[in-house]
Amino acid sequence: MTPALDQLRECYLRAQLAGDRREAVRLLLEDGLGAGAQVEELQIHVVRAAQDEIGRLWQLNRVSIAQEHLATAISHLSLAALFERATPRPALGRRVLLACVEGELHELPARLVADVLELDGFDVHYLGANVPTHDLVGEVRTEQPDVIGLSVTMSFNLPALRAAVAGVRGVSERPLFIGGHATRWSPGLARELDVAEAGSSPAELVATARRLAGVQS
């Protein structure tokens, strides 16, 4: 991260903690894009990085659940503002279905994945947070996407991830990838489930999705 992005992240974080939605978005658009930063840099090094810090502060009981929810709402608004101003690459002709597993309420990581992949040219079918396994399986059966991505943040939702993978495999042979903090805390999980890992950066994510979808990078 460059010093300029590091400073911007700190300013954005202060706006989040103050509940100032307009200032948070202004920082990204004027001090970020206006100063020559790329959308991808702002998505990862400002919005996601600040949100990770919010999560750390919550774990330390330095912010309340209400404050964490307020900060997350600001990040959703910020990602939408960046998405609107980004120029997508040409369509790849491949559909990705993304969902947070049943019980998983932390959808910002999956939302960011959806934005990154859609801007790369994928047709993204994003289902959001807490998708019941039965409904997820139904969507996969109906849509028959080229690739399926599942997100899980909290480790206590790993059983739901396992159930989702098993359910999807019952109706589709299309490749799956998984991502989220809980997957990083569980080494060997992707190998156990015989799925791909999303990767920790947009470049890795895009490379994974393209490989699974049979698209040349």
Side-chain angles (χ1 to χ4, degrees):
M1 187 188 305
T2 66
L5 286 175
D6 187 49
Q7 182 178 7
L8 185 58
R9 178 185 63 86
E10 290 299 320
C11 293
Y12 176 84
L13 178 62
R14 285 196 293 272
Q16 280 185 295
L17 293 173
D20 194 336
R21 300 192 303 165
R22 291 184 181 277
E23 175 63 7
V25 173
R26 186 201 68 77
L27 285 165
L28 293 170
L29 301 186
E30 296 182 11
D31 297 1
L33 292 179
Q38 301 299 308
V39 167
E40 180 182 288
E41 294 178 311
L42 298 173
Q43 288 172 323
I44 302 304
H45 298 304
V46 178
V47 179
R48 189 178 77 176
Q51 198 65 34
D52 285 345
E53 177 63 10
I54 291 291
R56 189 185 73 84
L57 294 174
W58 174 76
Q59 289 179 325
L60 295 174
N61 290 319
R62 291 172 59 184
V63 298
S64 67
I65 292 177
Q67 289 174 304
E68 186 271 337
H69 285 183
L70 177 60
T72 301
I74 288 174
S75 284
H76 277 290
L77 180 66
S78 298
L79 287 177
L82 290 173
F83 184 82
E84 289 176 0
R85 288 159 177 82
T87 302
R89 295 181 178 88
L92 296 171
R94 298 290 191 278
R95 170 167 287 194
V96 178
L97 185 145
L98 297 172
C100 297
V101 299
E102 186 166 351
E104 184 55 68
L105 301 176
H106 297 79
E107 70 165 309
L108 191 72
R111 162 70 183 279
L112 182 53
V113 168
D115 287 358
V116 168
L117 291 182
E118 187 155 336
L119 292 176
D120 188 60
F122 282 93
D123 175 13
V124 177
H125 195 71
Y126 176 53
L127 304 184
N130 186 25
V131 180
T133 300
H134 177 269
D135 293 315
L136 170 67
V137 170
E139 284 295 307
V140 171
R141 182 189 294 112
T142 300
E143 297 293 331
Q144 288 297 315
D146 298 287
V147 183
I148 299 120
L150 301 175
S151 178
V152 56
T153 297
M154 306 305 290
S155 58
F156 53 74
N157 286 321
L158 287 176
L161 173 66
R162 290 185 171 90
V165 170
V168 167
R169 287 245 166 85
V171 297
S172 174
E173 296 181 354
R174 301 297 172 86
L176 291 97
F177 68 84
I178 60 173
H181 282 297
T183 66
R184 298 174 203 160
W185 299 332
S186 306
L189 180 63
R191 184 169 58 254
E192 170 199 331
L193 297 176
D194 192 24
V195 298
E197 292 184 89
S200 59
S201 71
E204 291 175 346
L205 167 66
V206 166
T208 297
R210 282 177 170 246
R211 174 175 57 81
L212 295 178
V215 177
Q216 293 185 345
S217 299

